[in-house]
PDB file of all heavy atoms in Angstrom:
ATOM      1  N   ARG A   1       6.952  44.361-107.270  1.00 92.00           N
ATOM      2  CA  ARG A   1       5.515  44.138-107.197  1.00 92.00           C
ATOM      3  C   ARG A   1       4.834  44.970-108.288  1.00 92.00           C
ATOM      4  O   ARG A   1       5.237  46.109-108.548  1.00 92.00           O
ATOM      5  CB  ARG A   1       5.009  44.570-105.838  1.00 92.00           C
ATOM      6  CG  ARG A   1       3.549  44.266-105.587  1.00 92.00           C
ATOM      7  CD  ARG A   1       3.186  44.619-104.188  1.00 92.00           C
ATOM      8  NE  ARG A   1       2.434  45.884-104.193  1.00 92.00           N
ATOM      9  CZ  ARG A   1       1.456  46.167-103.390  1.00 92.00           C
ATOM     10  NH1 ARG A   1       1.069  45.309-102.463  1.00 92.00           N
ATOM     11  NH2 ARG A   1       0.836  47.320-103.480  1.00 92.00           N
ATOM     12  N   TYR A   2       3.826  44.374-108.913  1.00 95.00           N
ATOM     13  CA  TYR A   2       3.115  45.022-110.003  1.00 95.00           C
ATOM     14  C   TYR A   2       1.618  44.960-109.776  1.00 95.00           C
ATOM     15  O   TYR A   2       1.116  44.030-109.155  1.00 95.00           O
ATOM     16  CB  TYR A   2       3.424  44.315-111.336  1.00 95.00           C
ATOM     17  CG  TYR A   2       4.883  44.099-111.589  1.00 95.00           C
ATOM     18  CD1 TYR A   2       5.508  42.901-111.254  1.00 95.00           C
ATOM     19  CD2 TYR A   2       5.652  45.085-112.177  1.00 95.00           C
ATOM     20  CE1 TYR A   2       6.861  42.706-111.490  1.00 95.00           C
ATOM     21  CE2 TYR A   2       7.008  44.895-112.422  1.00 95.00           C
ATOM     22  CZ  TYR A   2       7.602  43.705-112.078  1.00 95.00           C
ATOM     23  OH  TYR A   2       8.924  43.517-112.290  1.00 95.00           O
ATOM     24  N   SER A   3       0.923  45.920-110.339  1.00 95.00           N
ATOM     25  CA  SER A   3      -0.535  45.889-110.365  1.00 95.00           C
ATOM     26  C   SER A   3      -0.952  45.380-111.749  1.00 95.00           C
ATOM     27  O   SER A   3      -0.385  45.783-112.752  1.00 95.00           O
ATOM     28  CB  SER A   3      -1.056  47.326-110.157  1.00 95.00           C
ATOM     29  OG  SER A   3      -2.455  47.347-110.333  1.00 95.00           O
ATOM     30  N   VAL A   4      -1.906  44.465-111.760  1.00 94.00           N
ATOM     31  CA  VAL A   4      -2.397  43.931-113.029  1.00 94.00           C
ATOM     32  C   VAL A   4      -3.899  44.185-113.122  1.00 94.00           C
ATOM     33  O   VAL A   4      -4.596  44.243-112.112  1.00 94.00           O
ATOM     34  CB  VAL A   4      -2.087  42.422-113.212  1.00 94.00           C
ATOM     35  CG1 VAL A   4      -0.601  42.205-113.301  1.00 94.00           C
ATOM     36  CG2 VAL A   4      -2.672  41.604-112.107  1.00 94.00           C
ATOM     37  N   SER A   5      -4.390  44.344-114.351  1.00 90.00           N
ATOM     38  CA  SER A   5      -5.801  44.688-114.530  1.00 90.00           C
ATOM     39  C   SER A   5      -6.701  43.465-114.624  1.00 90.00           C
ATOM     40  O   SER A   5      -7.919  43.595-114.577  1.00 90.00           O
ATOM     41  CB  SER A   5      -5.963  45.550-115.786  1.00 90.00           C
ATOM     42  OG  SER A   5      -5.511  44.834-116.926  1.00 90.00           O
ATOM     43  N   MET A   6      -6.148  42.294-114.755  1.00 90.00           N
ATOM     44  CA  MET A   6      -6.955  41.072-114.865  1.00 90.00           C
ATOM     45  C   MET A   6      -7.460  40.630-113.496  1.00 90.00           C
ATOM     46  O   MET A   6      -6.856  40.948-112.474  1.00 90.00           O
ATOM     47  CB  MET A   6      -6.128  39.949-115.505  1.00 90.00           C
ATOM     48  CG  MET A   6      -5.707  40.254-116.930  1.00 90.00           C
ATOM     49  SD  MET A   6      -4.614  38.992-117.607  1.00 90.00           S
ATOM     50  CE  MET A   6      -5.796  37.661-117.870  1.00 90.00           C
ATOM     51  N   LYS A   7      -8.549  39.904-113.496  1.00 92.00           N
ATOM     52  CA  LYS A   7      -9.084  39.311-112.268  1.00 92.00           C
ATOM     53  C   LYS A   7      -8.293  38.053-111.962  1.00 92.00           C
ATOM     54  O   LYS A   7      -7.719  37.415-112.849  1.00 92.00           O
ATOM     55  CB  LYS A   7     -10.561  38.948-112.449  1.00 92.00           C
ATOM     56  CG  LYS A   7     -11.433  40.114-112.858  1.00 92.00           C
ATOM     57  CD  LYS A   7     -11.714  40.974-111.683  1.00 92.00           C
ATOM     58  CE  LYS A   7     -12.737  42.042-112.055  1.00 92.00           C
ATOM     59  NZ  LYS A   7     -12.451  43.293-111.454  1.00 92.00           N
ATOM     60  N   LEU A   8      -8.294  37.667-110.709  1.00 92.00           N
ATOM     61  CA  LEU A   8      -7.524  36.500-110.283  1.00 92.00           C
ATOM     62  C   LEU A   8      -8.009  35.231-110.988  1.00 92.00           C
ATOM     63  O   LEU A   8      -7.211  34.413-111.414  1.00 92.00           O
ATOM     64  CB  LEU A   8      -7.630  36.349-108.759  1.00 92.00           C
ATOM     65  CG  LEU A   8      -6.521  35.579-108.072  1.00 92.00           C
ATOM     66  CD1 LEU A   8      -5.157  36.160-108.373  1.00 92.00           C
ATOM     67  CD2 LEU A   8      -6.752  35.540-106.576  1.00 92.00           C
ATOM     68  N   TYR A   9      -9.312  35.060-111.144  1.00 91.00           N
ATOM     69  CA  TYR A   9      -9.826  33.861-111.812  1.00 91.00           C
ATOM     70  C   TYR A   9      -9.428  33.827-113.280  1.00 91.00           C
ATOM     71  O   TYR A   9      -9.186  32.753-113.840  1.00 91.00           O
ATOM     72  CB  TYR A   9     -11.342  33.717-111.644  1.00 91.00           C
ATOM     73  CG  TYR A   9     -12.172  34.665-112.471  1.00 91.00           C
ATOM     74  CD1 TYR A   9     -12.578  34.306-113.765  1.00 91.00           C
ATOM     75  CD2 TYR A   9     -12.581  35.903-111.962  1.00 91.00           C
ATOM     76  CE1 TYR A   9     -13.339  35.176-114.535  1.00 91.00           C
ATOM     77  CE2 TYR A   9     -13.336  36.764-112.738  1.00 91.00           C
ATOM     78  CZ  TYR A   9     -13.724  36.400-114.013  1.00 91.00           C
ATOM     79  OH  TYR A   9     -14.486  37.253-114.779  1.00 91.00           O
ATOM     80  N   GLU A  10      -9.283  35.002-113.934  1.00 90.00           N
ATOM     81  CA  GLU A  10      -8.835  35.044-115.319  1.00 90.00           C
ATOM     82  C   GLU A  10      -7.378  34.619-115.416  1.00 90.00           C
ATOM     83  O   GLU A  10      -7.011  33.862-116.324  1.00 90.00           O
ATOM     84  CB  GLU A  10      -8.996  36.464-115.889  1.00 90.00           C
ATOM     85  CG  GLU A  10     -10.421  36.928-116.014  1.00 90.00           C
ATOM     86  CD  GLU A  10     -10.540  38.408-116.360  1.00 90.00           C
ATOM     87  OE1 GLU A  10      -9.648  39.194-115.983  1.00 90.00           O
ATOM     88  OE2 GLU A  10     -11.534  38.760-117.002  1.00 90.00           O
ATOM     89  N   LEU A  11      -6.579  35.089-114.490  1.00 90.00           N
ATOM     90  CA  LEU A  11      -5.175  34.689-114.450  1.00 90.00           C
ATOM     91  C   LEU A  11      -5.052  33.196-114.191  1.00 90.00           C
ATOM     92  O   LEU A  11      -4.268  32.501-114.842  1.00 90.00           O
ATOM     93  CB  LEU A  11      -4.426  35.480-113.383  1.00 90.00           C
ATOM     94  CG  LEU A  11      -4.212  36.947-113.698  1.00 90.00           C
ATOM     95  CD1 LEU A  11      -3.851  37.713-112.423  1.00 90.00           C
ATOM     96  CD2 LEU A  11      -3.138  37.122-114.747  1.00 90.00           C
ATOM     97  N   GLU A  12      -5.843  32.686-113.270  1.00 88.00           N
ATOM     98  CA  GLU A  12      -5.793  31.276-112.924  1.00 88.00           C
ATOM     99  C   GLU A  12      -6.134  30.412-114.136  1.00 88.00           C
ATOM    100  O   GLU A  12      -5.442  29.433-114.439  1.00 88.00           O
ATOM    101  CB  GLU A  12      -6.761  30.956-111.777  1.00 88.00           C
ATOM    102  CG  GLU A  12      -6.766  29.507-111.388  1.00 88.00           C
ATOM    103  CD  GLU A  12      -7.768  29.208-110.291  1.00 88.00           C
ATOM    104  OE1 GLU A  12      -8.721  29.989-110.109  1.00 88.00           O
ATOM    105  OE2 GLU A  12      -7.591  28.171-109.623  1.00 88.00           O
ATOM    106  N   GLU A  13      -7.185  30.774-114.869  1.00 86.00           N
ATOM    107  CA  GLU A  13      -7.593  30.028-116.060  1.00 86.00           C
ATOM    108  C   GLU A  13      -6.488  30.055-117.129  1.00 86.00           C
ATOM    109  O   GLU A  13      -6.189  29.037-117.732  1.00 86.00           O
ATOM    110  CB  GLU A  13      -8.884  30.589-116.642  1.00 86.00           C
ATOM    111  CG  GLU A  13     -10.109  30.307-115.806  1.00 86.00           C
ATOM    112  CD  GLU A  13     -11.338  31.077-116.282  1.00 86.00           C
ATOM    113  OE1 GLU A  13     -11.269  31.784-117.316  1.00 86.00           O
ATOM    114  OE2 GLU A  13     -12.375  30.972-115.600  1.00 86.00           O
ATOM    115  N   GLY A  14      -5.910  31.221-117.354  1.00 82.00           N
ATOM    116  CA  GLY A  14      -4.898  31.359-118.384  1.00 82.00           C
ATOM    117  C   GLY A  14      -3.549  30.753-118.041  1.00 82.00           C
ATOM    118  O   GLY A  14      -2.796  30.384-118.913  1.00 82.00           O
ATOM    119  N   LEU A  15      -3.271  30.654-116.742  1.00 83.00           N
ATOM    120  CA  LEU A  15      -1.948  30.201-116.311  1.00 83.00           C
ATOM    121  C   LEU A  15      -1.925  28.803-115.683  1.00 83.00           C
ATOM    122  O   LEU A  15      -0.880  28.342-115.266  1.00 83.00           O
ATOM    123  CB  LEU A  15      -1.358  31.212-115.314  1.00 83.00           C
ATOM    124  CG  LEU A  15      -1.133  32.608-115.853  1.00 83.00           C
ATOM    125  CD1 LEU A  15      -0.786  33.564-114.709  1.00 83.00           C
ATOM    126  CD2 LEU A  15      -0.061  32.613-116.903  1.00 83.00           C
ATOM    127  N   ALA A  16      -3.068  28.140-115.676  1.00 72.00           N
ATOM    128  CA  ALA A  16      -3.143  26.835-115.035  1.00 72.00           C
ATOM    129  C   ALA A  16      -2.167  25.841-115.635  1.00 72.00           C
ATOM    130  O   ALA A  16      -1.563  25.033-114.931  1.00 72.00           O
ATOM    131  CB  ALA A  16      -4.570  26.282-115.120  1.00 72.00           C
ATOM    132  N   LYS A  17      -1.993  25.894-116.945  1.00 70.00           N
ATOM    133  CA  LYS A  17      -1.067  24.960-117.589  1.00 70.00           C
ATOM    134  C   LYS A  17       0.375  25.457-117.562  1.00 70.00           C
ATOM    135  O   LYS A  17       1.264  24.822-118.091  1.00 70.00           O
ATOM    136  CB  LYS A  17      -1.507  24.688-119.023  1.00 70.00           C
ATOM    137  CG  LYS A  17      -1.575  25.911-119.897  1.00 70.00           C
ATOM    138  CD  LYS A  17      -2.119  25.572-121.276  1.00 70.00           C
ATOM    139  CE  LYS A  17      -2.278  26.797-122.122  1.00 70.00           C
ATOM    140  NZ  LYS A  17      -3.450  27.587-121.867  1.00 70.00           N
ATOM    141  N   ARG A  18       0.599  26.591-116.925  1.00 72.00           N
ATOM    142  CA  ARG A  18       1.946  27.202-116.896  1.00 72.00           C
ATOM    143  C   ARG A  18       2.526  27.256-115.487  1.00 72.00           C
ATOM    144  O   ARG A  18       3.125  28.231-115.094  1.00 72.00           O
ATOM    145  CB  ARG A  18       1.868  28.629-117.442  1.00 72.00           C
ATOM    146  CG  ARG A  18       1.358  28.762-118.827  1.00 72.00           C
ATOM    147  CD  ARG A  18       2.402  28.990-119.878  1.00 72.00           C
ATOM    148  NE  ARG A  18       3.628  29.572-119.508  1.00 72.00           N
ATOM    149  CZ  ARG A  18       3.997  30.818-119.729  1.00 72.00           C
ATOM    150  NH1 ARG A  18       3.181  31.667-120.283  1.00 72.00           N
ATOM    151  NH2 ARG A  18       5.187  31.217-119.408  1.00 72.00           N
ATOM    152  N   SER A  19       2.290  26.243-114.706  1.00 81.00           N
ATOM    153  CA  SER A  19       2.926  26.118-113.373  1.00 81.00           C
ATOM    154  C   SER A  19       2.286  26.970-112.287  1.00 81.00           C
ATOM    155  O   SER A  19       2.891  27.166-111.239  1.00 81.00           O
ATOM    156  CB  SER A  19       4.423  26.468-113.437  1.00 81.00           C
ATOM    157  OG  SER A  19       5.051  25.740-114.444  1.00 81.00           O
ATOM    158  N   PHE A  20       1.085  27.488-112.493  1.00 88.00           N
ATOM    159  CA  PHE A  20       0.424  28.268-111.457  1.00 88.00           C
ATOM    160  C   PHE A  20      -0.704  27.440-110.853  1.00 88.00           C
ATOM    161  O   PHE A  20      -1.410  26.720-111.550  1.00 88.00           O
ATOM    162  CB  PHE A  20      -0.130  29.578-112.027  1.00 88.00           C
ATOM    163  CG  PHE A  20       0.936  30.616-112.235  1.00 88.00           C
ATOM    164  CD1 PHE A  20       1.706  30.614-113.386  1.00 88.00           C
ATOM    165  CD2 PHE A  20       1.173  31.599-111.288  1.00 88.00           C
ATOM    166  CE1 PHE A  20       2.690  31.550-113.589  1.00 88.00           C
ATOM    167  CE2 PHE A  20       2.160  32.548-111.476  1.00 88.00           C
ATOM    168  CZ  PHE A  20       2.922  32.531-112.634  1.00 88.00           C
ATOM    169  N   VAL A  21      -0.860  27.579-109.546  1.00 89.00           N
ATOM    170  CA  VAL A  21      -1.898  26.845-108.837  1.00 89.00           C
ATOM    171  C   VAL A  21      -2.491  27.744-107.751  1.00 89.00           C
ATOM    172  O   VAL A  21      -1.786  28.561-107.150  1.00 89.00           O
ATOM    173  CB  VAL A  21      -1.323  25.543-108.219  1.00 89.00           C
ATOM    174  CG1 VAL A  21      -0.236  25.850-107.191  1.00 89.00           C
ATOM    175  CG2 VAL A  21      -2.406  24.679-107.627  1.00 89.00           C
ATOM    176  N   ARG A  22      -3.797  27.607-107.543  1.00 91.00           N
ATOM    177  CA  ARG A  22      -4.472  28.398-106.495  1.00 91.00           C
ATOM    178  C   ARG A  22      -4.144  27.794-105.146  1.00 91.00           C
ATOM    179  O   ARG A  22      -4.264  26.593-104.939  1.00 91.00           O
ATOM    180  CB  ARG A  22      -5.975  28.426-106.717  1.00 91.00           C
ATOM    181  CG  ARG A  22      -6.682  29.333-105.711  1.00 91.00           C
ATOM    182  CD  ARG A  22      -8.131  29.478-106.010  1.00 91.00           C
ATOM    183  NE  ARG A  22      -8.387  30.310-107.180  1.00 91.00           N
ATOM    184  CZ  ARG A  22      -8.564  31.627-107.144  1.00 91.00           C
ATOM    185  NH1 ARG A  22      -8.475  32.290-106.012  1.00 91.00           N
ATOM    186  NH2 ARG A  22      -8.823  32.295-108.241  1.00 91.00           N
ATOM    187  N   ILE A  23      -3.728  28.658-104.206  1.00 93.00           N
ATOM    188  CA  ILE A  23      -3.450  28.190-102.858  1.00 93.00           C
ATOM    189  C   ILE A  23      -4.434  28.734-101.840  1.00 93.00           C
ATOM    190  O   ILE A  23      -4.504  28.234-100.724  1.00 93.00           O
ATOM    191  CB  ILE A  23      -2.002  28.557-102.424  1.00 93.00           C
ATOM    192  CG1 ILE A  23      -1.784  30.048-102.404  1.00 93.00           C
ATOM    193  CG2 ILE A  23      -0.987  27.830-103.305  1.00 93.00           C
ATOM    194  CD1 ILE A  23      -0.543  30.478-101.649  1.00 93.00           C
ATOM    195  N   SER A  24      -5.200  29.750-102.238  1.00 93.00           N
ATOM    196  CA  SER A  24      -6.227  30.293-101.356  1.00 93.00           C
ATOM    197  C   SER A  24      -7.224  31.062-102.209  1.00 93.00           C
ATOM    198  O   SER A  24      -7.027  31.206-103.426  1.00 93.00           O
ATOM    199  CB  SER A  24      -5.614  31.231-100.312  1.00 93.00           C
ATOM    200  OG  SER A  24      -5.137  32.410-100.913  1.00 93.00           O
ATOM    201  N   ARG A  25      -8.269  31.560-101.586  1.00 92.00           N
ATOM    202  CA  ARG A  25      -9.279  32.324-102.307  1.00 92.00           C
ATOM    203  C   ARG A  25      -8.696  33.574-102.965  1.00 92.00           C
ATOM    204  O   ARG A  25      -9.168  34.040-103.986  1.00 92.00           O
ATOM    205  CB  ARG A  25     -10.390  32.720-101.342  1.00 92.00           C
ATOM    206  CG  ARG A  25     -11.722  32.841-101.975  1.00 92.00           C
ATOM    207  CD  ARG A  25     -12.787  32.967-100.931  1.00 92.00           C
ATOM    208  NE  ARG A  25     -13.436  34.239-101.143  1.00 92.00           N
ATOM    209  CZ  ARG A  25     -13.924  35.014-100.219  1.00 92.00           C
ATOM    210  NH1 ARG A  25     -13.851  34.640 -98.959  1.00 92.00           N
ATOM    211  NH2 ARG A  25     -14.506  36.130-100.540  1.00 92.00           N
ATOM    212  N   SER A  26      -7.607  34.078-102.403  1.00 95.00           N
ATOM    213  CA  SER A  26      -7.078  35.340-102.875  1.00 95.00           C
ATOM    214  C   SER A  26      -5.679  35.247-103.473  1.00 95.00           C
ATOM    215  O   SER A  26      -5.042  36.276-103.724  1.00 95.00           O
ATOM    216  CB  SER A  26      -7.046  36.358-101.729  1.00 95.00           C
ATOM    217  OG  SER A  26      -6.214  35.891-100.702  1.00 95.00           O
ATOM    218  N   GLU A  27      -5.189  34.018-103.747  1.00 95.00           N
ATOM    219  CA  GLU A  27      -3.806  33.936-104.263  1.00 95.00           C
ATOM    220  C   GLU A  27      -3.578  32.700-105.102  1.00 95.00           C
ATOM    221  O   GLU A  27      -4.059  31.614-104.797  1.00 95.00           O
ATOM    222  CB  GLU A  27      -2.812  33.952-103.097  1.00 95.00           C
ATOM    223  CG  GLU A  27      -1.383  34.055-103.517  1.00 95.00           C
ATOM    224  CD  GLU A  27      -0.449  34.373-102.349  1.00 95.00           C
ATOM    225  OE1 GLU A  27      -0.841  34.195-101.177  1.00 95.00           O
ATOM    226  OE2 GLU A  27       0.689  34.793-102.624  1.00 95.00           O
ATOM    227  N   ILE A  28      -2.794  32.891-106.183  1.00 95.00           N
ATOM    228  CA  ILE A  28      -2.257  31.781-106.961  1.00 95.00           C
ATOM    229  C   ILE A  28      -0.738  31.951-107.024  1.00 95.00           C
ATOM    230  O   ILE A  28      -0.241  33.070-107.006  1.00 95.00           O
ATOM    231  CB  ILE A  28      -2.866  31.693-108.377  1.00 95.00           C
ATOM    232  CG1 ILE A  28      -2.600  32.954-109.203  1.00 95.00           C
ATOM    233  CG2 ILE A  28      -4.335  31.390-108.347  1.00 95.00           C
ATOM    234  CD1 ILE A  28      -3.060  32.875-110.648  1.00 95.00           C
ATOM    235  N   VAL A  29      -0.012  30.827-107.025  1.00 93.00           N
ATOM    236  CA  VAL A  29       1.438  30.885-107.010  1.00 93.00           C
ATOM    237  C   VAL A  29       2.011  30.071-108.151  1.00 93.00           C
ATOM    238  O   VAL A  29       1.399  29.136-108.655  1.00 93.00           O
ATOM    239  CB  VAL A  29       2.060  30.429-105.682  1.00 93.00           C
ATOM    240  CG1 VAL A  29       1.640  31.299-104.529  1.00 93.00           C
ATOM    241  CG2 VAL A  29       1.768  28.961-105.409  1.00 93.00           C
ATOM    242  N   ASN A  30       3.226  30.439-108.545  1.00 90.00           N
ATOM    243  CA  ASN A  30       3.999  29.678-109.536  1.00 90.00           C
ATOM    244  C   ASN A  30       4.749  28.606-108.761  1.00 90.00           C
ATOM    245  O   ASN A  30       5.707  28.889-108.068  1.00 90.00           O
ATOM    246  CB  ASN A  30       4.974  30.606-110.246  1.00 90.00           C
ATOM    247  CG  ASN A  30       5.732  29.936-111.348  1.00 90.00           C
ATOM    248  OD1 ASN A  30       5.850  28.724-111.387  1.00 90.00           O
ATOM    249  ND2 ASN A  30       6.290  30.730-112.241  1.00 90.00           N
ATOM    250  N   TYR A  31       4.244  27.354-108.850  1.00 86.00           N
ATOM    251  CA  TYR A  31       4.845  26.320-108.013  1.00 86.00           C
ATOM    252  C   TYR A  31       6.285  25.979-108.399  1.00 86.00           C
ATOM    253  O   TYR A  31       7.006  25.384-107.609  1.00 86.00           O
ATOM    254  CB  TYR A  31       3.986  25.054-107.938  1.00 86.00           C
ATOM    255  CG  TYR A  31       3.757  24.319-109.238  1.00 86.00           C
ATOM    256  CD1 TYR A  31       4.696  23.445-109.754  1.00 86.00           C
ATOM    257  CD2 TYR A  31       2.568  24.487-109.934  1.00 86.00           C
ATOM    258  CE1 TYR A  31       4.466  22.761-110.927  1.00 86.00           C
ATOM    259  CE2 TYR A  31       2.328  23.802-111.115  1.00 86.00           C
ATOM    260  CZ  TYR A  31       3.283  22.939-111.593  1.00 86.00           C
ATOM    261  OH  TYR A  31       3.063  22.265-112.758  1.00 86.00           O
ATOM    262  N   ARG A  32       6.741  26.428-109.536  1.00 85.00           N
ATOM    263  CA  ARG A  32       8.154  26.210-109.914  1.00 85.00           C
ATOM    264  C   ARG A  32       9.071  27.216-109.205  1.00 85.00           C
ATOM    265  O   ARG A  32      10.282  27.086-109.252  1.00 85.00           O
ATOM    266  CB  ARG A  32       8.344  26.315-111.419  1.00 85.00           C
ATOM    267  CG  ARG A  32       7.544  25.254-112.157  1.00 85.00           C
ATOM    268  CD  ARG A  32       8.109  24.985-113.499  1.00 85.00           C
ATOM    269  NE  ARG A  32       7.286  24.071-114.252  1.00 85.00           N
ATOM    270  CZ  ARG A  32       7.272  22.767-114.104  1.00 85.00           C
ATOM    271  NH1 ARG A  32       8.051  22.205-113.220  1.00 85.00           N
ATOM    272  NH2 ARG A  32       6.481  21.990-114.823  1.00 85.00           N
TER     273      ARG A  32
END
């Protein structure tokens, strides 16, 4: 487990095309 300095919405925007999808208000997962 790691701590990251980015906000969840920033990660979601940057990783949307990389197999990540939001599953709840507080979490995004790598669907692969």
Side-chain angles (χ1 to χ4, degrees):
R1 186 175 103 144
Y2 310 95
S3 173
V4 295
S5 60
M6 296 175 74
K7 303 283 188 218
L8 204 56
Y9 74 89
E10 294 171 330
L11 290 163
E12 180 182 22
E13 289 170 4
L15 298 170
K17 59 184 176 280
R18 301 258 335 256
S19 309
F20 283 83
V21 62
R22 184 174 287 270
I23 62 164
S24 69
R25 210 169 120 214
S26 61
E27 188 167 17
I28 60 175
V29 298
N30 184 340
Y31 63 81
R32 298 203 186 280

